[in-house]
Amino acid sequence: MNNLNVEKSVTWQCPSNLAIVKYWGKYGKQLPQNASISMTLKEAKTITTLSWESKKNNDQNIALSFLFDGEKNKAFESKLTKFLTSIAIDYFPFLMNYELTIISKNTFPHSSGIASSASSMGALALCLCTMEKNILRNNVSDVEFIQKASHIARLGSGSASRSVIGHWAMWGLHPNFSEANNEYAVDLTPSVHPIFNSLKNDILIVSAEKKSVSSTAGHQLMENNPYAMARYAQANQRIVQLYSALQTGDVESFGMIAEAEALTLHALMMCSEPSYMLMEPASLAIIKKIRSFRADTKLPVYFSLDAGPNIHLLYPENISLQVQTLIDQDLLSQCQNFQVIRDGIGVGPSIL
Ligand code: DP6
């Protein structure tokens, strides 16, 4: 940048992700109660620019100015200041020496109900790691760089740990995976069958309203959920089944696990205290239509959900035309303002 006030600046774009085996329940410093596996998206991204200039005073505080969509956003600014303060001493002590500006925007509409914590924390973590590389001039390898970015992203939002990795990522300890761990996500892609590397993921927007339970509050509900232990064991079993389906290209088993996981997540919310019902009548109507379309046509179309009412439609690229007809004829009428975000698996973040 040729701005005299700015010494350095970096921009990363980072996509969101959809967990197929879900992370729901955490402990300690953002550590997951079970392992999760996700696909990284392509279109739903956050683009973040971090700029820094030397501070004029010697105070030891985080000095941050935050703009979202070109406008100053005080609420996010104070959240991010808290976050940066919490990680600076341990991970980026140099941050205190600079005045920081973060400018962020999402490629998906504000009012789409799509959570942006994974993509935004991923993009921010990548910017911080690049800033560190520029300032310390250290020779970290690409692998170490991504590990640290994933670790930092995780401290911001658990699911963000997986967003810094393209295609297929796994986060959380699991006895069958020696590389997998609770600190950062690892790349599963080399073991995944090619059919899954062009998977589609269309997001049917049932409601763009803000979620009635935050993820953090949702994770907390698991602490008193009587099914919690059984759930964590089940998730770890499903990791084994999912990994096998991913390796062999078994789309049907993949789809069955994706649906079972989405419904389990919602069932856990329904039977928590207090109880949350995040599906809408239209979510159920869409689910039923997907299942009957599948029964009638034998085509491999499946659904997943995050902690909200919107439906992710998962299918291999080679049946895109048939799925398009399904969406147009049967599903679009259930979507708020006929909103569908056409997405699919993506290669992961990139520096701009
Ligand atoms: C349902 O990662 O948003 O999307 O760690 O509190 O920020 P925090 O939670 P978050 O939880 C994601 C929950 C989920 C499942 C998943 O992505 O694995």
Side-chain angles (χ1 to χ4, degrees):
M1 252 192 212
N2 283 332
N3 183 337
L4 283 179
N5 291 324
V6 177
E7 286 176 7
K8 279 280 174 350
S9 154
V10 59
T11 301
W12 276 92
Q13 56 175 15
C14 184
S16 184
N17 71 76
L18 172 78
I20 303 300
V21 171
K22 310 285 186 187
Y23 145 59
W24 198 241
K26 63 179 173 181
Y27 67 96
K29 280 197 173 170
Q30 294 277 96
L31 301 169
Q33 291 283 13
N34 62 265
S36 55
I37 291 181
S38 62
M39 66 182 283
T40 296
L41 298 179
K42 188 168 161 188
E43 306 296 343
K45 290 181 292 206
T46 299
I47 301 164
T48 296
T49 299
L50 169 64
S51 316
W52 58 96
E53 59 178 302
S54 295
K55 262 191 190 167
K56 292 166 194 76
N57 61 31
N58 280 336
D59 74 30
Q60 287 300 294
N61 299 325
I62 293 292
L64 172 68
S65 173
F66 179 77
L67 283 85
F68 188 74
D69 270 348
E71 287 185 16
K72 189 119 178 116
N73 187 314
K74 280 277 172 201
F76 278 134
E77 186 174 284
S78 68
K79 253 178 127 172
L80 280 180
T81 303
K82 257 196 208 142
F83 174 60
L84 294 177
T85 306
S86 74
I87 59 170
I89 291 177
D90 289 340
Y91 300 97
F92 303 112
F94 57 84
L95 281 180
M96 264 84 111
N97 303 334
Y98 294 91
E99 283 183 13
L100 309 168
T101 304
I102 298 175
I103 301 174
S104 209
K105 64 179 180 203
N106 294 333
T107 57
F108 42 94
H110 277 317
S111 54
S112 60
I114 297 187
S116 61
S117 70
S119 54
S120 59
M121 282 300 166
L124 175 63
L126 289 158
C127 287
L128 290 168
C129 290
T130 301
M131 176 181 178
E132 175 180 50
K133 227 173 140 176
N134 285 7
I135 286 173
L136 304 184
R137 308 219 165 268
N138 54 3
N139 275 330
V140 287
S141 67
D142 290 352
V143 172
E144 286 166 333
F145 180 89
I146 290 296
Q147 280 177 2
K148 180 154 183 184
S150 173
H151 182 131
I152 298 299
R154 178 202 109 226
L155 294 173
S157 179
S159 54
S161 64
R162 302 181 308 240
S163 264
V164 302
I165 291 167
H167 299 103
W168 295 96
M170 173 172 177
W171 170 46
L173 273 174
H174 191 291
N176 297 26
F177 296 79
S178 56
E179 310 249 293
N181 69 87
N182 283 349
E183 303 296 328
Y184 54 83
V186 294
D187 189 358
L188 286 189
T189 314
S191 323
V192 172
H193 190 280
I195 193 157
F196 292 115
N197 285 331
S198 57
L199 202 69
K200 293 287 174 187
N201 186 332
D202 293 336
I203 311 166
L204 306 165
I205 308 299
V206 165
S207 167
E209 301 292 306
K210 209 172 170 300
K211 288 188 286 184
S212 58
V213 56
S214 71
S215 299
T216 299
H219 289 289
Q220 260 167 22
L221 292 175
M222 286 303 283
E223 287 166 23
N224 294 318
N225 187 307
Y227 304 110
M229 288 305 151
R231 158 61 192 161
Y232 304 142
Q234 174 195 57
N236 282 337
Q237 275 166 10
R238 284 183 176 155
I239 289 276
V240 177
Q241 292 159 0
L242 176 62
Y243 186 64
S244 158
L246 287 173
Q247 280 182 303
T248 56
D250 181 349
V251 178
E252 188 182 348
S253 299
F254 165 86
M256 289 303 168
I257 297 164
E259 293 193 355
E261 275 293 296
L263 296 176
T264 302
L265 170 72
H266 282 259
L268 287 166
M269 284 186 278
M270 286 186 224
C271 68
S272 291
E273 274 182 39
S275 147
Y276 287 94
M277 171 71 84
L278 298 187
M279 277 195 260
E280 295 289 337
S283 318
L284 284 178
I286 291 174
I287 288 172
K288 285 187 174 175
K289 290 205 163 148
I290 294 168
R291 286 185 162 173
S292 66
F293 176 84
R294 196 164 70 222
D296 294 346
T297 62
K298 310 280 177 262
L299 290 172
V301 189
Y302 303 92
F303 66 84
S304 181
L305 294 96
D306 261 334
N310 301 327
I311 305 285
H312 289 251
L313 207 52
L314 303 171
Y315 57 94
E317 195 178 25
N318 63 358
I319 60 162
S320 295
L321 275 181
Q322 293 97 315
V323 175
Q324 184 63 47
T325 310
L326 165 71
I327 294 176
D328 291 346
Q329 291 182 353
D330 286 336
L331 308 182
L332 214 51
S333 58
Q334 301 288 343
C335 298
Q336 195 174 47
N337 302 325
F338 305 101
Q339 228 188 317
V340 177
I341 295 180
R342 293 185 196 273
D343 213 328
I345 194 153
V347 297
S350 58
I351 194 163
L352 297 178

